[in-house]
Amino acid sequence: MQEVFKGSFTQQEPIPDAGIDAALAVLRHGRLHRYNTTAGEISETALLEQEFAASVGARYCLAVASGGYAMATVLRALGVKPGDKVLSNAFTLAPVPGAIAAVGAVPVYVEVTESLTIDLEDLATKLSQARVLLLSHMRGHLCDMERLMALCDDAGVRVVEDCAHTMGAAWKGVPSGRYGAVGCYSCQTYKHVNSGEGGFLVTDDTDLAARAVMLSGSYMLYERHLAAPPKEAFEHIRYETPNISGRMDNLRAAILRPQVADLETQCARWNARYARLEAGLRDVPGLSLVERPDEETIVGSSIQFLLLDWPAEAVRDVIARCAARGVELKWFGAREPVAFTSRYDSWRYAPSAAMPATDRILAGVVDMRVPLTFSLEDCDQIARIIRAEVGAVFQKAA
Ligand SMILES: *Cc1c(COP(=O)(O)O)cnc(C)c1O
């Protein structure tokens, strides 16, 4: 009998009791809107922003309706206009080109390396085309952030970090989201904290933070924030910045506060699972793991491996055989977008030049979610199944 994995790849853990209790308190008083406070009361949303800013060492933090909203708001606050070009990763997910499209701008894609990070050589050749890079730390992989910042600073390109997969991660000890001008995060169910939907942006830039607060729909109530610039920063921009509502509400903030406080513990639990999967997938002929550099503090909420230069049918065969044994793998080489997985050439609203290096990687990259509901033994079993099926297909092909 072949072993079959019985767990669910999409089941997250329940909301912690502290979050449930806080959410019930908000429901009982009924003041869900972030600016609906009684005299002297500080909203859950304002407290959440203060706590998240402190956790990454940022001056300012704004909580918003989604990660995609955070990114589009930042692009708007940076003055990106319809028709402007914005640099971004060819290997990422749909909310990234979507945020660029939301402001009428046009993505210029940068190739991906075998380390699954942005190709800095290719980036260097394209920097003169844009004022902004929307850098996606796709699947949690961080590039050499010091080199990237040096390149972008020299070219006068502002860096916006998409940290949807790197909340809690760091490069040389500096939290992801703190190298660029702004860091954007997602609190969607499949990310590192879960309020269903939600997002953050963090920055030290006073003007940018003030514009983002106004854009998010603060009306003239920005003084009720704890992690926003002082009121002088709003003096002029409050007349010229449109209200494009995308606020966080107190119910979601109440659910998130205990999760932000607990993030480090959760990251360690993800990494324990990642380590077991990685160990179980070592030295499989034909399969390359993505080696993680010493400078990187990872959060192993997903794992990727490459079946590099395999024929498409063989990769498809591996995915199907693993699926038959309960192991859900995602493949970026499929021609048609499936569920959450799509690729740069499926985003027809943002057409791209040919990306040969990226095409080669996408044809071989296999991705797997690692929810915290998996036990360490589950991870061992999943690795055994992948190992066996990759081995069987590889042997057949040889
Ligand atoms: C999830 C995600 C986002 C943000 O998504 P929202 O659903 O808008 O919160 C941004 N970038 C990537 C790569 C993502 O996977």
Side-chain angles (χ1 to χ4, degrees):
M1 259 306 273
Q2 282 194 328
E3 56 181 342
V4 173
F5 178 63
K6 301 284 188 202
S8 162
F9 282 79
T10 50
Q11 182 60 55
Q12 304 291 31
E13 293 189 298
I15 301 301
D17 283 342
I20 295 174
D21 293 345
L24 286 175
V26 171
L27 290 173
R28 291 207 166 93
H29 68 53
R31 292 184 296 280
L32 272 70
H33 191 283
R34 67 168 298 164
Y35 301 118
N36 182 200
T37 49
T38 57
E41 184 185 21
I42 297 170
S43 76
E44 289 282 339
T45 309
L47 290 166
L48 172 68
E49 288 166 342
Q50 187 179 49
E51 290 158 3
F52 192 73
S55 78
V56 295
R59 280 175 84 178
Y60 308 118
C61 172
L62 176 68
V64 293
S66 73
Y69 181 88
M71 295 188 290
T73 300
V74 166
L75 295 179
R76 225 176 238 120
L78 285 170
V80 176
K81 297 277 180 310
D84 285 357
K85 289 178 175 171
V86 174
L87 292 157
S88 194
N89 309 58
F91 176 48
T92 185
L93 290 174
V96 178
I100 297 170
V103 296
V106 182
V108 175
Y109 299 113
V110 182
E111 303 262 29
V112 65
T113 67
E114 287 181 26
S115 311
L116 302 186
T117 53
I118 193 165
D119 182 339
L120 297 180
E121 311 295 325
D122 189 44
L123 175 65
T125 70
K126 293 174 174 165
L127 280 170
S128 62
Q129 296 185 43
R131 289 191 306 117
V132 176
L133 164 66
L134 178 52
L135 172 67
S136 179
H137 301 304
M138 177 64 173
R139 281 351 229 150
H141 297 274
L142 294 169
C143 69
D144 180 338
M145 287 303 296
E146 286 178 345
R147 232 187 109 204
L148 176 124
M149 289 310 300
L151 284 171
C152 290
D153 287 345
D154 273 355
V157 168
R158 306 289 307 268
V159 177
V160 179
E161 294 180 63
D162 167 19
C163 307
H165 303 167
T166 54
M167 187 187 282
W171 181 263
K172 288 197 172 174
V174 176
S176 152
R178 298 294 294 139
Y179 277 95
V182 199
C184 300
Y185 306 79
S186 171
C187 313
Q188 194 219 86
T189 295
Y190 302 107
K191 311 300 163 88
H192 298 173
V193 292
N194 172 15
S195 58
E197 304 287 353
F200 293 115
L201 61 92
V202 300
T203 183
D204 291 342
D205 182 321
T206 302
D207 183 64
L208 185 53
R211 286 176 195 275
V213 169
M214 285 301 293
L215 284 165
S216 76
S218 66
Y219 303 92
M220 297 299 145
L221 301 168
Y222 40 78
E223 285 177 77
R224 296 201 195 164
H225 288 238
L226 296 174
K231 72 170 192 288
E232 301 74 57
F234 294 85
E235 213 46 60
H236 298 288
I237 62 126
R238 65 191 191 140
Y239 299 108
E240 62 189 45
T241 311
N243 177 326
I244 304 178
S245 293
R247 293 170 299 273
M248 166 79 63
D249 59 83
N250 288 333
L251 183 57
R252 282 184 286 175
I255 291 170
L256 288 170
R257 287 181 62 209
Q259 296 183 58
V260 166
D262 212 24
L263 185 61
E264 239 180 76
T265 312
Q266 298 295 79
C267 292
R269 295 177 61 220
W270 263 305
N271 290 347
R273 285 155 181 77
Y274 185 95
R276 295 286 274 261
L277 284 160
E278 193 182 44
L281 293 175
R282 277 223 177 274
D283 306 319
V284 180
L287 179 154
S288 12
L289 287 167
V290 182
E291 298 300 340
R292 311 304 292 256
D294 289 342
E295 294 90 340
E296 193 185 17
T297 304
I298 74 160
V299 182
S301 58
S302 69
I303 189 164
Q304 294 71 43
F305 57 84
L306 290 163
L307 304 176
L308 206 52
D309 304 323
W310 282 40
E313 319 81 78
V315 183
R316 225 177 273 123
D317 198 13
V318 168
I319 308 283
R321 284 161 162 267
C322 288
R325 297 179 63 182
V327 174
E328 241 179 72
L329 301 175
K330 289 182 228 152
W331 179 43
F332 283 85
R335 235 169 324 219
E336 284 301 315
V338 181
F340 286 108
T341 307
S342 60
R343 33 183 287 152
Y344 75 92
D345 49 8
S346 12
W347 308 323
R348 293 185 195 165
Y349 54 85
S352 166
M355 307 288 296
T358 298
D359 290 342
R360 173 170 174 256
I361 301 296
L362 292 179
V365 67
V366 179
D367 172 43
M368 193 188 95
R369 262 198 200 121
V370 186
L372 287 176
T373 48
F374 287 1
S375 66
L376 297 176
E377 293 67 33
D378 288 342
C379 295
D380 295 338
Q381 185 186 39
I382 290 166
R384 279 198 303 274
I385 292 172
I386 297 174
R387 221 185 151 82
E389 297 305 335
V390 168
V393 175
F394 190 71
Q395 250 177 353
K396 211 168 50 168

